[in-house]
């Protein structure tokens, strides 16, 4: 009962701080509104500029051309296709790719049909499987280019099967499928909504908990609990419970704006939404606790928070997918707990597939929670009792 009363006191104290309420409650909602206004809510059709370099005229190369030509026509076309038949201009086409004039170059090399026949024959003789020798040129750090390459990869895999069927007796199994809960196009509202929920919790953990507990330490307030009627355990339980009230307020406000105003289709009553929101509360609260434990004073906690703020939020996949970044940035993405929280919640809610196994999106935040708490508790005990 005492814990509950104290948590209400801490919660009301937080709401009295105007700057605290703005940055931790109002700002995430304002940021979401700005992002949704800037970026289109619905992207109904996506197509890519693709160069096809075709210098071969056999049956298999013509099959490749026909597939790409079909996908570049009609209302639901995937590619804006330009076909080139002179192999000597390949270097110029690659320069166009580097300049952004196209997103992808697909090359059907000379002797393509002979290579296909040779590869399939080798496979029939038991020497392993070799894919069709189609060359694809992409921009390594361009998201659109990489997305186009994934589409082409699926096309090539299907073509490999068709090539093999032309030369061998392969039973073509009929596959029945059912689409459940599908959405037309990509919704940025659905994408950004879970990310903003995590961002709001992140701000509270990084700047709210981290700096406020540092201020308690700097003012020797925590040491007074040794002789006060309220225990240190009671204080921390009350304090963190008050932050959970704030987390729930943030989540409800973001949910209201996204669902009522912008008509997000994300099911916020889903078990997985509650699971990942709760994981974010645990991991990012523990991070704030950790910052307050290692910082020497309130100013140091603020500096640490500012250093971590932008790398963690922008390289955590909150605002846009993070893929194919340079190696010296990739390690920040991999060790960032927000990366796994954002990827996991979007995958389980059907917004976007996660590049990581689902068990990792749960396990990594839990490991960070345990690590932060263990180090923080030991640090607090050593400092406060000294």
């Amino acid at each position: 009962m005492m814990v509950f009363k104290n948590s209400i006191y801490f919660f009301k104290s937080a709401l009295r701080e105007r700057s605290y309420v703005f940055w931790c409650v109002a700002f995430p909602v304002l940021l979401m509104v700005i992002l949704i206004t800037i970026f289109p809510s619905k992207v109904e059709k996506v197509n890519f500029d693709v160069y096809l370099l075709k210098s071969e005229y056999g049956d298999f190369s013509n099959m490749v051309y026909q597939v790409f030509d079909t996908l570049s026509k009609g209302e639901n076309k995937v590619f804006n296709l330009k076909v080139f038949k002179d192999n000597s201009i390949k270097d110029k086409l690659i320069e166009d790719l580097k300049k952004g004039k196209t997103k992808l170059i697909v090359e059907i090399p000379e002797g393509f049909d002979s290579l296909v026949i040779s590869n399939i024959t080798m496979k029939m003789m038991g020497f392993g499987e070799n894919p069709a020798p189609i060359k694809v040129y992409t921009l390594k750090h361009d998201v659109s280019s990489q997305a186009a390459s994934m589409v082409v990869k699926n096309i090539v895999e299907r073509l490999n099967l068709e090539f093999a069927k032309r030369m061998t007796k392969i039973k073509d199994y009929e596959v029945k499928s059912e689409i459940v809960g599908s959405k037309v196009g990509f919704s940025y509202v659905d994408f950004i909504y879970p990310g903003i929920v995590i961002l709001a919790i992140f701000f509270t953990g990084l700047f709210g908990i981290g700096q406020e507990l540092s201020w308690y330490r700097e003012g020797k307030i925590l040491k007074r609990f040794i002789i006060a009627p309220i225990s240190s355990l009671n204080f921390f339980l009350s304090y963190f419970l008050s932050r959970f009230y704030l987390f729930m307020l943030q989540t409800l406000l973001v949910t209201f704006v996204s669902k009522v105003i912008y008509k997000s289709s994300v099911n916020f009553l889903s078990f997985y939404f509650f699971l990942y929101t709760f994981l974010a509360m645990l991991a990012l609260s523990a991070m704030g606790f950790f910052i307050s434990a290692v910082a020497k004073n309130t100013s140091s906690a603020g500096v640490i928070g500012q250093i971590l703020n932008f790398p963690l939020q922008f390289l955590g996949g909150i605002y846009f997918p993070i893929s194919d970044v340079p190696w010296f940035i990739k390690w920040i993405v991999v060790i960032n707990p927000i990366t796994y929280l954002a990827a996991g919640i979007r995958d389980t809610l059907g917004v976007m597939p996660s590049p990581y196994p689902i068990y990792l999106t749960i396990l990594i935040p839990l490991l960070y929670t345990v690590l932060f708490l263990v180090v923080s508790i030991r640090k607090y005990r050593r400092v406060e009792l000294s």
Side-chain angles (χ1 to χ4, degrees):
M1 191 64 179
M2 181 64 71
V3 171
F4 177 73
K5 289 182 178 180
N6 290 335
S7 67
I8 296 296
Y9 167 78
F10 285 125
F11 178 63
K12 290 181 178 179
S13 297
L15 294 182
R16 293 191 190 102
E17 295 290 336
R18 294 182 180 179
S19 60
Y20 195 104
V21 172
F22 174 77
W23 289 109
C24 295
V25 180
F27 179 74
V29 176
L30 178 62
L31 180 61
M32 180 175 68
V33 172
I34 293 173
L35 290 172
I36 294 174
T37 303
I38 294 174
F39 298 103
S41 175
K42 292 283 186 180
V43 181
E44 303 293 341
K45 298 177 183 179
V46 178
N47 50 62
F48 307 96
D49 296 325
V50 172
Y51 288 172
L52 178 64
L53 184 58
K54 180 180 180 295
S55 57
E56 184 79 7
Y57 297 93
D59 290 340
F60 292 116
S61 57
N62 286 335
M63 187 188 301
V64 177
Y65 166 74
Q66 290 170 6
V67 170
F68 279 89
D69 185 58
T70 301
L71 293 174
S72 65
K73 294 179 179 178
E75 294 183 358
N76 296 319
K77 67 179 182 179
V78 179
F79 303 120
N80 298 317
L81 189 68
K82 290 185 179 181
V83 182
F84 301 87
K85 298 181 179 180
D86 185 2
N87 196 59
S88 63
I89 66 170
K90 183 170 72 173
D91 291 340
K92 180 182 180 303
L93 299 183
I94 292 176
E95 285 299 317
D96 285 350
L97 176 64
K98 293 178 180 179
K99 294 177 182 178
K101 294 181 179 180
T102 184
K103 294 300 180 183
L104 199 75
I105 299 175
V106 179
E107 180 186 1
I108 304 175
E110 295 181 359
F112 176 79
D113 282 65
S114 298
L115 289 171
V116 171
I117 295 172
S118 175
N119 287 341
I120 296 175
T121 303
M122 294 292 287
K123 178 183 177 182
M124 293 171 60
M125 296 174 63
F127 290 102
E129 181 177 357
N130 293 303
I134 297 176
K135 296 181 180 179
V136 179
Y137 301 88
T138 65
L139 289 174
K140 186 175 182 181
H141 305 306
D142 188 288
V143 175
S144 298
S145 181
Q146 293 301 312
S149 71
M150 292 296 293
V151 175
V152 171
K153 180 181 178 182
N154 291 330
I155 294 172
V156 172
E157 288 176 353
R158 180 62 185 175
L159 283 170
N160 283 325
L161 178 60
E162 293 297 327
F163 293 157
K165 287 168 62 177
R166 293 292 180 94
M167 297 188 62
T168 60
K169 294 181 179 180
I170 297 179
K171 183 178 180 181
D172 192 12
Y173 291 95
E174 181 181 358
V175 178
K176 295 182 179 180
S177 61
E178 180 181 358
I179 300 175
V180 180
S182 64
K183 295 190 286 287
V184 179
F186 170 79
S187 171
Y188 188 69
V189 175
D190 291 347
F191 179 85
I192 198 65
Y193 164 46
I196 293 296
V197 170
I198 294 173
L199 179 69
I201 297 171
F202 173 63
F203 280 167
T204 299
L206 198 66
F207 298 112
I209 296 176
Q211 293 191 44
E212 192 168 18
L213 287 181
S214 296
W215 181 78
Y216 285 149
R217 280 187 56 197
E218 189 176 4
K220 308 298 181 181
I221 296 174
L222 297 181
K223 283 189 175 182
R224 298 174 188 174
F225 290 117
I226 299 176
I227 58 174
I230 179 175
S231 65
S232 298
L233 179 60
N234 187 303
F235 168 80
F236 281 111
L237 288 177
S238 302
Y239 181 81
F240 284 113
L241 185 58
S242 71
R243 300 309 99 165
F244 274 85
Y245 300 155
L246 187 61
F247 293 148
M248 286 187 286
L249 175 63
Q250 294 169 319
T251 303
L252 288 173
L253 186 58
V254 173
T255 300
F256 176 82
V257 173
S258 62
K259 296 292 288 186
V260 176
I261 299 179
Y262 293 104
K263 310 300 181 184
S264 170
S265 62
V266 171
N267 181 14
F268 69 97
L269 296 177
S270 165
F271 165 76
Y272 293 106
F273 182 82
F274 286 106
L275 172 63
Y276 281 99
T277 302
F278 183 70
L279 278 176
M281 292 177 183
L282 289 179
L284 301 178
S285 295
M287 179 186 292
F289 191 29
F290 173 78
I291 291 174
S292 71
V294 298
K296 294 182 179 180
N297 49 49
T298 308
S299 299
S300 299
V303 171
I304 295 173
Q306 291 294 345
I307 292 174
L308 295 176
N309 179 25
F310 289 103
L312 293 187
Q313 66 168 298
F314 283 102
L315 297 179
I318 290 177
Y319 308 110
F320 43 79
I322 303 296
S323 60
D324 297 299
V325 293
W327 64 267
F328 55 88
I329 295 179
K330 184 69 175 180
W331 68 271
I332 302 178
V333 176
V334 172
I335 67 172
N336 188 353
I338 295 178
T339 299
Y340 301 94
L341 292 167
I345 192 171
R346 290 188 178 119
D347 191 334
T348 53
L349 294 177
V351 177
M352 177 173 287
S354 169
Y356 313 100
I358 291 299
Y359 72 89
L360 279 183
T361 63
I362 296 175
L363 182 60
I364 298 299
L366 285 176
L367 290 177
Y368 269 109
T369 301
V370 174
L371 176 63
F372 287 144
L373 288 179
V374 169
V375 174
S376 302
I377 290 172
R378 294 184 62 181
K379 183 73 174 177
Y380 264 96
R381 283 177 177 175
R382 184 166 61 251
V383 173
E384 300 305 326
L385 297 178
S386 61

